[in-house]
Amino acid sequence: MLRRILLAAALAATSAVALPAPAHAALPTAAVALGDSFISGEGAGSYQPVTDVNGVAQAFPGWSAPNSNAFFCHRSANASLLQASLAGIQDRYNLACSGGRPADFTAPGTTRAKGRTVAAQLDQLRAVAQTHNIDLVLVGLGSNNSSFTFGDVAEKCANRFIADAWTGWWEFWAYLNGPVEQSPCTADDLATAAQFAAATTETVNAVRQLLTTLNQVDADHKHRVVFQDYTNPLPFDLDPSYWEADGRQDDRDKFRELGAVRYAAGCPIHRASLSAGHLFSQGLGNLVQNVRNTLAAEFPNDDLVFLDVQHAFDGARLCEHPGSPDNALATPIRLQDGPSGTFVTSLSGKDKIAIQRIANTCVSYFQTCQESWHPTAAGQAVLGQCLSAAATTPARALTCSRQPDGRITTA
């Protein structure tokens, strides 16, 4: 009897000893992209199905479908995140959405006008974090906000040029949204200082939520966040071969042949608008850098890198050389005559009624023209090289530039 009692006591003592917990397999590593069209891969083709707020994967729904369809986030298999060389990264997730705004980080796109039917980007990020250790996050945010959007800016300047080329100052130009001005764009037409300030605050608030979320859900709490700015698809001036046609330049009334030449080349814009466009691009670069610097002060232990890509397309912009758009790293402006899927590549010989109808297609079915003036697949490959360098640099800011011989350098 005593022997049984002693044996039971020994077994109880043994069972009370804590045994080592079984080792858990490390989560696979992931790189994630968040933000807008320059990150999602708009213009680069090979668009993948996108899961909507109901958990349904949306493939191409047809050209006449509502632009709110999740597919029109246009997440490209050629996006820079998927082309970059990222050592140690096992999986990649493109959660960006063409037209994405700061509000889309924390709320579904369905909660705002012209939003897409996708979940909040941070909710999508949380889902990735459940199965992966997030090591790299690429963020491209700021070109679309409550004050201005890239699409509206591009549409404004291109429409002014087309209206000026095909109509006289005494003629009524009847777009769906009313008459279109015919004068070149100025800097304040695109974004004022007050609008940039408001957009910066809006973007800081959204990215603050991103960093807070990452620090909560990332498995090992170690991740680099790369803040990429934007590159202008147009040069500081057009190649002289695009200055004049039929003896007319764009500083006079009506110049249809020249309008057709520039549209075919992908750059339907006044030469006088180009400087304003570059001031806008520089303003976006300042916005992104200020967002990074503000949040670096708030999150001193976070690994935050600013990636300047404003010179990444130097020498390969639309109409920078003869032969555009084939030799450019950005997509030309392309419209459709109704949601047909067939792009109009030439406006030569078309009258103003046809021009009006074609332009209005973009207004009614934005998906028919939303690829315009975005990086091509080759352009995204260049941005992928820039990201590769940003993923490993010890610096807090990196400038990525294209040299005259086509080499991509970083400093």
Side-chain angles (χ1 to χ4, degrees):
M1 182 69 178
L2 178 61
R3 184 177 297 173
R4 290 180 185 174
I5 294 173
L6 292 174
L7 180 59
L11 290 174
T14 301
S15 64
V17 176
L19 298 176
H24 291 286
L27 291 175
T29 57
V32 178
L34 302 167
D36 58 29
S37 58
F38 275 69
I39 299 298
S40 74
E42 181 69 82
S46 296
Y47 304 121
Q48 306 300 296
V50 177
T51 301
D52 65 17
V53 290
N54 299 312
V56 178
Q58 296 289 338
F60 177 58
W63 289 107
S64 60
N67 188 250
S68 59
N69 188 284
F71 176 81
F72 294 125
C73 279
H74 275 177
R75 292 174 179 168
S76 173
N78 298 315
S80 64
L81 180 81
L82 305 180
Q83 297 202 59
S85 175
L86 303 174
I89 297 296
Q90 294 169 272
D91 296 306
R92 310 179 192 208
Y93 293 88
N94 184 358
L95 309 181
C97 185
S98 184
R101 299 187 186 186
D104 297 341
F105 269 31
T106 55
T110 51
T111 61
R112 67 169 178 84
K114 298 184 179 180
R116 302 229 159 78
T117 54
V118 290
Q121 291 191 24
L122 294 190
D123 285 344
Q124 297 176 62
L125 177 69
R126 291 184 185 97
V128 174
Q130 291 180 4
T131 58
H132 287 75
N133 177 21
I134 299 173
D135 280 355
L136 180 71
V137 178
L138 172 63
V139 179
L141 197 67
S143 71
N144 305 313
N145 51 75
S146 298
S147 297
F148 55 80
T149 70
F150 171 78
D152 288 344
V153 165
E155 181 182 354
K156 179 182 296 184
C157 295
N159 279 350
R160 287 187 180 193
F161 173 80
I162 295 296
D164 197 14
W166 264 267
T167 64
W169 63 266
W170 65 91
E171 294 176 284
F172 179 71
W173 184 249
Y175 276 84
L176 288 181
N177 292 336
V180 175
E181 289 190 42
Q182 299 181 25
S183 57
C185 287
T186 66
D188 280 354
D189 288 328
L190 307 185
T192 64
Q195 288 175 320
F196 269 121
T200 301
T201 299
E202 193 175 337
T203 307
V204 164
N205 290 338
V207 182
R208 181 184 291 117
Q209 291 292 322
L210 164 63
L211 299 182
T212 300
T213 300
L214 277 170
N215 290 331
Q216 292 170 346
V217 303
D218 183 30
D220 63 2
H221 304 289
K222 295 179 182 178
H223 44 260
R224 168 164 290 190
V225 181
V226 176
F227 293 73
Q228 180 188 298
D229 69 354
Y230 302 86
T231 185
N232 197 308
L234 300 171
F236 287 91
D237 198 1
L238 308 181
D239 182 83
S241 61
Y242 302 111
W243 286 5
E244 182 177 300
D246 193 29
R248 302 185 181 199
Q249 297 196 14
D250 66 7
D251 56 356
R252 55 151 295 152
D253 191 51
K254 278 193 178 181
F255 39 87
R256 293 184 181 184
E257 285 302 315
L258 180 60
V261 166
R262 287 192 192 164
Y263 176 84
C267 55
I269 193 168
H270 292 96
R271 287 177 63 201
S273 294
L274 293 171
S275 59
H278 278 274
L279 286 174
F280 178 71
S281 297
Q282 292 161 16
L284 291 178
N286 291 336
L287 183 159
V288 174
Q289 187 166 31
N290 288 338
V291 169
R292 182 267 164 201
N293 292 345
T294 297
L295 293 171
E298 292 185 24
F299 296 81
N301 296 322
D302 283 18
D303 184 5
L304 311 181
V305 174
F306 170 61
L307 176 58
D308 178 352
V309 297
Q310 298 216 11
H311 294 283
F313 288 7
D314 283 0
R317 304 177 197 270
L318 290 161
C319 299
E320 194 161 10
H321 300 289
S324 183
D326 294 340
N327 54 9
L329 291 172
T331 59
I333 278 194
R334 285 295 179 258
L335 306 172
Q336 296 181 20
D337 192 355
S340 62
T342 300
F343 290 100
V344 177
T345 58
S346 174
L347 298 180
S348 182
K350 297 187 184 300
D351 61 26
K352 60 189 177 185
I353 301 302
I355 298 295
Q356 174 192 339
R357 184 182 64 247
I358 292 168
N360 283 341
T361 297
C362 181
V363 177
S364 299
Y365 306 94
F366 183 63
Q367 60 271 17
T368 62
C369 63
Q370 71 180 50
E371 292 181 296
S372 301
W373 282 354
H374 283 83
T376 62
Q380 287 287 343
V382 168
L383 296 177
Q385 292 184 55
C386 300
L387 176 59
S388 300
T392 57
T393 181
R396 300 297 84 199
L398 189 72
T399 297
C400 188
S401 304
R402 184 179 184 277
Q403 303 305 310
D405 63 1
R407 289 180 301 113
I408 305 301
T409 60
T410 55

